[in-house]
Amino acid sequence: MAGHHSERPHDHTCALAQRVRALREDRGWTRERLAQEACIAVGTLARLESEGAIQPSFFTVGAVAEALGLSLDELFQE
């Protein structure tokens, strides 16, 4: 089927959750530290990292990428 993707939006959210958590932990950062660096609420970050608990906004994802020193492309690389 042309244009059909086997991945659902939820799959991307789960991958993003795992990636953000791994990048944060690689830096030795707490959720509080990353949330502070990204100027977002700790609860927002906790939901983002909870594998699909929310579909994060573009602003939130951009802020997290910037706080981690990454472009959006780099953040979404597997």
Side-chain angles (χ1 to χ4, degrees), residues 5 8 39-40 48 52:
H5 296 287
R8 301 175 317 261
C39 298
I40 62 173
L48 188 157

Side-chain angles (χ1 to χ4, degrees), residues 1-74:
M1 181 180 197
H4 180 261
H5 296 287
S6 62
E7 294 183 24
R8 301 175 317 261
H10 179 76
D11 295 333
H12 293 291
T13 305
C14 286
L16 177 63
Q18 292 167 358
R19 178 106 167 110
V20 168
R21 188 169 49 251
L23 288 164
R24 175 178 61 74
E25 289 173 350
D26 285 349
R27 284 164 175 74
W29 287 6
T30 61
R31 280 186 177 161
E32 290 76 11
R33 166 84 187 269
L34 179 52
Q36 182 178 18
E37 295 284 337
C39 298
I40 62 173
V42 175
T44 299
L45 179 59
R47 288 189 302 276
L48 188 157
E49 288 188 353
S50 294
E51 301 192 20
I54 59 166
Q55 185 72 40
S57 71
F58 181 77
F59 169 80
T60 298
V61 175
V64 168
E66 186 173 338
L68 292 168
L70 302 171
S71 69
L72 286 172
D73 283 345
E74 290 169 327

